Amino acid sequence: MPTISIVIPNHNYSRFFSRCFNSLATQHLGLEDVEIIFVDDASTDDSLARIEEWAERIECENFIIEALDRQGHPGPVRNHGLSLARGEYLFCLDPDDALRPEFTAVCLEVLKEDPRAAGVYPDYFRCTPEGRFLVELPDFDQALLRMQNILPTTALYRRELWDAGVRYADNTDYEDWDFWIQCVSLGAHFEHICDPLYDYHFHDDNFSRKAEANDGPSKAAIVRNNPDFFHPLVRQWAEDFRRRRLHAQAFPRGHIPSPDDVRALLKTVESTVLGAGDK
């Protein structure tokens, strides 16, 4: 039984494999107790041929390659990989990103030393054509998670969360955020590691960039997927937005409104309606 299972979803990202898999091969912890599960979402490039080569080169506990019919969304692809995982600890790694050599060793040590924590998440470097920038994430805060996603995709967590029924949703482009909310709804606490342990590469083909265009509906879907996690006013906002009511704004990108945000919006709408009636 492996200690860690790493799920790598992929669609036409073979050009990034060298960077990603070299970062795995150079982990200080070693890969003897690590299982790698590569799940391909009907790639049309040379991903499957290239991954066969890497499966031969990487010395790990187990290397699984799965090829799916086109899903078009990372959530179901990750779910498929996680359903095959045997590890005590799990995490997903996008093939266009790269881990720092100390990633698995540090994350595993922190998680083992804190029995209260269901998972851990580190800071990271955001790599763009303009340069490399340190992203310092906030400490875990359930209230803050209601308004913005503070956990990265690359968080290591105990498999008990998966066994408890947490799954990636396929009706929101912010599937990571939805996944972490499900975890927290089960009582999970995450520990923040104040150290950049991986490189997140931002480019035109990022799914997260494409998700920006679907920001409002994706946020409303998260609220509707997890109603008990949100205030009734926020649930009403999500329903009004889904129904395309004129007063239901999307709010800033990546921000689910707080109850105060919704109250302020409703007050503004009410004043506008009353003012129109006076004319």
Side-chain angles (χ1 to χ4, degrees):
M1 180 176 178
T3 301
I4 299 175
S5 291
I6 303 173
V7 173
I8 302 177
N10 176 72
H11 178 70
N12 289 345
Y13 271 10
S14 67
R15 63 194 184 278
F16 302 119
F17 285 3
S18 292
R19 181 174 64 204
C20 178
F21 287 100
N22 276 319
S23 80
L24 289 174
T26 56
Q27 287 295 296
H28 291 167
L29 185 65
L31 301 179
E32 294 82 5
D33 294 323
V34 173
E35 173 184 60
I36 297 173
I37 304 172
F38 178 92
V39 187
D40 188 74
D41 187 19
S43 291
T44 56
D45 64 0
D46 60 347
S47 286
L48 289 176
R50 293 281 304 278
I51 200 59
E52 292 283 356
E53 296 173 1
W54 278 104
E56 293 293 326
R57 295 169 60 182
I58 294 284
E59 297 183 4
C60 60
E61 195 274 346
N62 192 25
F63 200 121
I64 298 173
I65 300 172
E66 291 280 305
L68 305 182
D69 293 333
R70 182 70 171 134
Q71 304 295 308
H73 203 282
V77 182
R78 291 175 182 157
N79 285 339
H80 182 84
L82 289 165
S83 71
L84 303 175
R86 298 175 296 121
E88 183 180 357
Y89 304 94
L90 313 172
F91 80 94
C92 294
L93 174 65
D94 291 336
D96 53 340
D97 296 332
L99 304 181
R100 295 272 152 175
E102 64 274 23
F103 179 94
T104 53
V106 172
C107 288
L108 191 59
E109 179 182 10
V110 173
L111 192 49
K112 284 185 174 181
E113 289 182 352
D114 187 353
R116 299 181 309 114
V120 294
Y121 63 100
D123 294 334
Y124 61 91
F125 286 106
R126 179 184 173 97
C127 303
T128 73
E130 291 74 36
R132 187 162 161 268
F133 308 94
L134 173 63
V135 177
E136 297 179 296
L137 296 169
D139 288 341
F140 178 74
D141 184 336
Q142 181 171 314
L144 189 56
L145 187 64
R146 287 189 172 92
M147 294 183 288
Q148 66 184 74
N149 187 15
I150 59 174
L151 279 75
T153 301
T154 312
L156 181 71
Y157 55 93
R158 303 181 193 276
R159 74 165 300 116
E160 284 83 358
L161 292 174
W162 173 263
D163 291 341
V166 176
R167 298 292 184 271
Y168 285 99
D170 60 3
N171 65 342
T172 173
D173 287 346
Y174 294 140
E175 71 284 340
D176 297 331
W177 193 355
D178 187 275
F179 188 89
W180 304 131
I181 285 174
Q182 292 178 58
C183 294
V184 173
S185 296
L186 292 174
H189 171 84
F190 288 81
E191 189 66 30
H192 174 214
I193 299 173
C194 301
D195 192 15
L197 297 181
Y198 74 99
D199 293 340
Y200 169 74
H201 289 267
F202 194 73
H203 51 84
D204 288 340
D205 289 338
N206 280 121
F207 186 83
S208 57
R209 173 172 286 197
K210 297 173 183 176
E212 293 176 6
N214 202 29
D215 175 75
S218 291
K219 294 184 300 190
I222 288 175
V223 176
R224 297 179 68 246
N225 289 347
N226 306 278
D228 293 342
F229 191 70
F230 293 95
H231 189 279
L233 281 174
V234 181
R235 298 201 298 266
Q236 186 60 53
W237 163 81
E239 185 61 28
D240 290 345
F241 188 91
R242 185 183 72 86
R243 294 175 179 272
R244 299 183 179 181
R245 291 174 175 162
L246 293 177
H247 66 274
Q249 301 176 8
F251 288 91
R253 185 178 66 82
H255 173 78
I256 290 177
S258 68
D260 287 342
D261 291 331
V262 179
R263 290 189 187 99
L265 175 62
L266 293 175
K267 186 175 181 180
T268 299
V269 172
E270 182 180 354
S271 298
T272 301
V273 171
L274 291 175
D278 292 337
K279 293 181 180 180

